[in-house]
């Protein structure tokens, strides 16, 4: 699955930019609060407006402090998947239950320096694990291959039935790095600049998906 990130889109024309990502499985929306990360993007009112103009399932990535207080609004608004950061959540199990009760999938994200082990039990309550492959905050950064060990570990836990979730990766995904990520066992690839900086975002999405599928297929 390919989830283009609108962080690299033209913020003055977001409805048009959503229409350009033909064939996207999800649309990834990066919410930043200038506290959890050193950048500020958009929040619930903009997400609500975007939900009205697209049928693409929305993947909200909340890079914010106190998600225990704020995440539920995104689920109630109709986001398909709401991802909070493990480093910011106070009671991540309760948060997952609340998100699911509000009708959304629940996602947990870990920054590049955050290990997976301490979160494995918590992840039993989650539908997606978002492994950050850059320091969260900005688009267009270089992929950090050292996070792939965590991807392999998560893939193993899913394949052996210990966890039941989608493994998602975010940051620096392009036509080369997607092969490394696919080989390590990623299910869903977030791509911002690789999709929105392309002349034809729809073509870029299908090219990325083909590359990932070929790698996962062992070709
Ligand atoms: C970074 C965001 C990413 C970002 C990815 O903090 O979470 O979703 O948009 O952008 P690229 O694909 O350009 O690295
Ligand atoms: Zn993101």
């Amino acid at each position: 699955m390919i989830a283009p990130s609108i962080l690299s889109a033209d913020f003055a024309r977001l409805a048009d930019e959503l229409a350009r990502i033909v064939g996207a499985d999800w649309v990834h929306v990066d919410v930043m609060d200038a506290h959890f990360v050193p950048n500020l993007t958009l929040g619930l009112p903009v997400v609500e407006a975007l939900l009205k103009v697209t049928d693409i399932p929305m993947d909200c990535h909340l890079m914010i402090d106190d998600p225990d207080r704020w995440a539920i609004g995104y689920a109630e608004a109709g986001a398909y998947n709401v991802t909070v950061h493990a480093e910011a959540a106070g009671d991540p199990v309760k948060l997952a239950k609340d998100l699911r009760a509000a009708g959304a999938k629940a996602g947990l994200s870990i920054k590049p320096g955050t290990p997976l082990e301490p979160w494995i039990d918590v992840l039993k309550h989650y539908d997606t694990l978002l492994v950050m492959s850059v320091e969260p905050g900005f688009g267009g950064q270089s992929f950090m291959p050292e996070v792939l060990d965590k991807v392999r570990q998560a893939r193993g836990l899913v394949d052996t039935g210990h966890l039941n979730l989608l493994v998602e990766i975010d940051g620096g995904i392009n036509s080369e790095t997607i092969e490394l990520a696919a080989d390590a066992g990623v299910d869903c690839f977030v791509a911002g600049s690789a999709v929105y900086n392309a002349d034809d975002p729809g073509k870029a999405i299908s090219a990325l998906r083909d590359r990932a599928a070929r790698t996962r297929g062992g070709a």
Side-chain angles (χ1 to χ4, degrees), residues 5 7-8 28 30 32 61 63 132 134-141 170-173 190-194:
S5 164
L7 187 59
S8 294
H28 184 87
D30 289 305
M32 304 186 189
H61 177 193
M63 286 161 275
M132 289 307 299
V134 297
E135 287 300 336
F138 300 93
Q141 303 183 75
D170 184 9
I173 291 293
V190 176
S193 45

Side-chain angles (χ1 to χ4, degrees), residues 64-77:
I64 61 172
D65 280 346
D66 202 6
D68 303 68
R69 176 170 174 195
W70 300 110
I72 192 73
Y74 295 83
E76 287 169 350

Side-chain angles (χ1 to χ4, degrees), residues 82-124:
V82 179
T83 292
V84 299
H85 265 270
E87 304 85 358
D91 186 345
V93 171
K94 179 179 184 297
L95 195 39
K97 287 180 181 166
D98 290 348
L99 291 171
R100 284 173 162 180
K105 306 272 184 208
L108 191 72
S109 184
I110 50 175
K111 297 205 282 184
T114 302
L116 181 65
E117 285 86 2
W119 301 101
I120 292 172
D121 280 338
V122 166
L123 282 166
K124 293 188 172 138

Side-chain angles (χ1 to χ4, degrees), residues 116 129 149-161 163 165-167 182-188 216:
L116 181 65
L129 164 66
D149 282 339
K150 289 191 284 190
V151 170
R152 285 186 205 96
Q153 201 183 344
R155 177 85 264 141
L157 290 163
V158 173
D159 290 346
T160 54
L163 290 178
L165 47 74
L166 287 178
V167 181
D183 185 56
V186 169
D187 300 298
C188 181
R216 278 297 279 274

